[in-house]
Amino acid sequence: MFEALGQGLLANLAPSMLLLVLIGTFAGMALGAMPGLSATMGVALLVPFTFAMDPTPGLVLLGAFYMGAIYGGSFTAILVNAPGTPSSIATALDGYPLTRQGRSEYAIVGATMGSFVGGIIGVVALIFLAPPLASFSLRFGPQEYFWVAMFGLTIIASLASGSLLKGLIGGLIGLLIATIGIAPVGGDVRFTFGDPMLQGGVPLVPALIGLFTVPEVIRLIALRTRDAQMVDDSQKKASLFGMVKDILGRPVNLLRSSLIGTAVGILPGAGGSVANLVAYNEAKRASKHPETFGKGEIDGVIASESANNGTVGGGFIPTLTLGVPGTPPDAIILGVLLLHGLRPGAELFETSGSLVYTFILALAVSAVMMVPVGLIAGRGLQRGVMALPVRYLAPSITVLSIIGAYAIRSSVFDVFIMLALGIVAYLLQRVGIGGAAIVLGLVLGSIAETGLVQGILTSSGADMPWSTFFTRPISLILIAMCLISAVWPMVQKRRARRNLTEAAPAVAADRAEND
């Protein structure tokens, strides 16, 4: 292993390979920053260009592009509230409020350093823990995936900081949207209203753009101004070094979120769209000041970006060792491996160890390159967006949103879905129901439904098929996590209320003395 690892390191230090990683990282970042153009789409579009290349540089280019695309989604999530990829949903929750406070550069630095740490930890796990972690992922059946989705839905309690009832209503709306189309198990056609275009369901990316971006465009047009400044006065003295030092001074959040991303990435089908939300919830739950999340808390940005880049390395663990893709882009890269006659498994590491470790270490090199490239490109983009007048910014965002929604399936119908959901989201925001809870229900709804139905079908021979959801060891652990995650926000609120009550006499005494 260590000999192949050394060969892979030397291969990555070659100037031609470094240039290839740089090109892949920058191209991935550019595509990820375009709303709607997901990492999966970008990797798929890049595959034909790798056919004429040798296996090693071809895989390196795809891996670097994938790593850069996951990070690139944070730019538009922070600057214009438009998550470039589904993996950046949680990034927008605190990244855009930071922009509205004139602290977008601080948010971009946080996203960059979080992505760097998450990418490195994911690669380290891929190198040293691939076989045992891949074997563990095989123990997850439909029941476990159902409880993973339930655990994700408990995040609504954290997202709904204003009103739990409104958060639950938003989550229920998302779950209802997820039921549109042909049922994943059984093939029943539901809520299509006779339109064949809805048989495939509501596509995630157009829905994501509509729920997050369109309401902001409407708000910009209605106000004809924005409350974001070029640079906030309180941030003028903050140097780049100071911001980086502040971000790296939060090692617990960085490490915890990166490990969550790696663990979720190992589970086939989960990916960054789940990992960033789970990590965000855990960061808020562990915070001493959870009330600041959703209002411009840098820890929320760090948690989301650390987790989604951690899924890159985590997702390749089952892909390279078992041939089971951890995320959708992994499935495409797995196909490239098979096209070159390389079959995943222990034999791949033995017979093609140099190629495999060159590819793995290229992911780490890409994560390192994201820091200088991302800070330069991100800060430049930040200054450009902040300096752009609203009369140009709103139409620009609208055009990019339409292109992103159309590009998924080359369908005008998807554009109308985006606009319809955007208008509904804007109206719901007026009554206090945010888009984050709706997106959460939409993302996790199909996972929960598939796990529930498949779990019952696979246990149909038992006297009580439902019992398998409550008797499997991993399911019991996940149930305990669900209960803790659901109850914890209420415990925090009660604790904060008690502290406020205890502090009230002291505050009153201080005021009396001052008077």
Side-chain angles (χ1 to χ4, degrees):
M1 168 187 171
F2 290 102
E3 181 180 353
L5 197 61
Q7 292 174 353
L9 180 60
L10 290 175
N12 274 285
L13 294 177
S16 59
M17 195 67 75
L18 289 173
L19 179 61
L20 196 64
V21 173
L22 178 61
I23 293 173
T25 303
F26 183 78
M29 287 167 51
L31 181 133
M34 296 285 289
L37 303 184
S38 64
T40 305
M41 176 188 293
V43 172
L45 292 174
L46 191 61
V47 167
F49 294 95
T50 65
F51 287 158
M53 304 172 68
D54 291 333
T56 301
L59 288 170
V60 165
L61 180 62
L62 288 173
F65 186 93
Y66 177 23
M67 182 72 79
I70 294 295
Y71 162 60
S74 65
F75 290 157
T76 47
I78 291 170
L79 295 175
V80 293
N81 201 33
T85 64
S87 302
S88 301
I89 295 171
T91 305
L93 299 180
D94 280 289
Y96 187 66
L98 282 168
T99 294
R100 296 177 66 178
Q101 298 168 16
R103 304 173 68 195
S104 52
E105 186 173 356
Y106 184 42
I108 288 174
V109 173
T112 303
M113 302 312 299
S115 297
F116 162 68
V117 174
I120 293 296
I121 290 178
V123 171
V124 171
L126 175 59
I127 293 173
F128 295 103
L129 303 176
L133 290 179
S135 300
F136 176 75
S137 70
L138 290 180
R139 299 182 183 180
F140 272 70
Q143 292 86 348
E144 284 75 20
Y145 278 106
F146 170 77
W147 287 117
V148 166
M150 288 298 101
F151 176 67
L153 289 172
T154 60
I155 298 173
I156 290 176
S158 295
L159 295 180
S161 56
S163 170
L164 179 59
L165 178 61
K166 292 179 180 180
L168 292 174
I169 292 173
L172 181 60
I173 293 173
L175 290 173
L176 290 174
I177 295 174
T179 62
I180 295 174
I182 298 176
V185 180
D188 300 318
V189 180
R190 307 169 304 189
F191 307 119
T192 61
F193 305 101
D195 194 326
M197 292 299 295
L198 284 174
Q199 290 184 1
V202 175
L204 177 59
V205 173
L208 193 65
I209 296 172
L211 292 170
F212 277 100
T213 309
V214 174
E216 180 59 27
V217 173
I218 295 174
R219 192 188 67 82
L220 286 174
I221 295 173
L223 297 178
R224 298 184 182 180
T225 184
R226 56 183 174 188
D227 45 12
Q229 309 171 49
M230 180 62 181
V231 178
D232 186 59
D233 291 338
S234 62
Q235 297 296 310
K236 285 183 178 179
K237 297 180 180 179
S239 65
L240 177 61
F241 176 76
M243 288 187 283
V244 171
K245 184 179 179 181
D246 178 61
I247 302 302
L248 295 180
R250 306 164 189 260
V252 175
N253 188 13
L254 286 165
L255 181 61
R256 178 185 58 243
S257 303
S258 300
L259 292 176
I260 289 173
T262 302
V264 174
I266 295 170
L267 306 178
S273 57
V274 176
N276 76 109
L277 290 166
V278 173
Y280 180 89
N281 179 63
E282 292 306 303
K284 182 176 181 180
R285 189 175 64 83
S287 175
K288 296 180 180 178
H289 38 80
E291 69 282 354
T292 61
F293 279 72
K295 301 176 182 177
E297 174 56 60
I298 192 63
D299 277 323
V301 176
I302 295 171
S304 174
E305 289 302 308
S306 300
N308 62 31
N309 275 86
T311 61
V312 176
F316 280 118
I317 290 175
T319 304
L320 297 179
T321 57
L322 302 172
V324 180
T327 63
D330 295 339
I332 299 171
I333 295 176
L334 174 61
V336 175
L337 279 171
L338 296 175
L339 283 174
H340 288 288
L342 302 169
R343 297 198 171 276
E347 185 179 351
L348 177 65
F349 286 82
E350 294 175 1
T351 59
S352 305
S354 177
L355 181 152
V356 172
Y357 285 110
T358 299
F359 167 68
I360 292 174
L361 289 175
L363 297 176
V365 175
S366 176
V368 174
M369 285 186 176
M370 285 191 308
V371 176
V373 175
L375 290 178
I376 294 172
R379 295 172 79 190
L381 184 63
Q382 175 257 341
R383 282 167 168 74
V385 171
M386 290 298 99
L388 196 64
V390 171
R391 63 180 180 274
Y392 299 127
L393 180 62
S396 301
I397 297 173
T398 303
V399 171
L400 290 176
S401 299
I402 292 173
I403 293 173
Y406 177 81
I408 300 298
R409 300 188 298 183
S410 299
S411 171
V412 176
F413 188 76
D414 289 351
V415 177
F416 287 114
I417 289 178
M418 175 201 72
L419 294 174
L421 288 176
I423 294 171
V424 171
Y426 176 75
L427 296 176
L428 289 174
Q429 283 184 8
R430 302 285 292 180
V431 296
I433 300 175
I438 301 175
V439 170
L440 191 64
L442 178 60
V443 169
L444 298 175
S446 59
I447 298 176
E449 181 185 5
T450 303
L452 177 64
V453 178
Q454 288 183 346
I456 294 175
L457 289 177
T458 56
S459 308
S460 57
D463 294 334
M464 293 184 294
W466 286 88
S467 63
T468 58
F469 286 85
F470 301 93
T471 55
R472 296 160 67 103
I474 299 178
S475 292
L476 292 174
I477 296 173
L478 291 171
I479 291 171
M481 293 171 61
C482 289
L483 293 174
I484 294 171
S485 180
V487 172
W488 188 257
M490 291 181 277
V491 173
Q492 284 184 317
K493 286 183 179 180
R494 180 172 295 181
R495 185 182 298 173
R497 194 179 299 116
R498 185 178 60 193
N499 293 338
L500 186 62
T501 303
E502 292 175 353
V507 173
D510 290 341
R511 287 179 178 176
E513 289 180 4
N514 293 332
D515 293 341

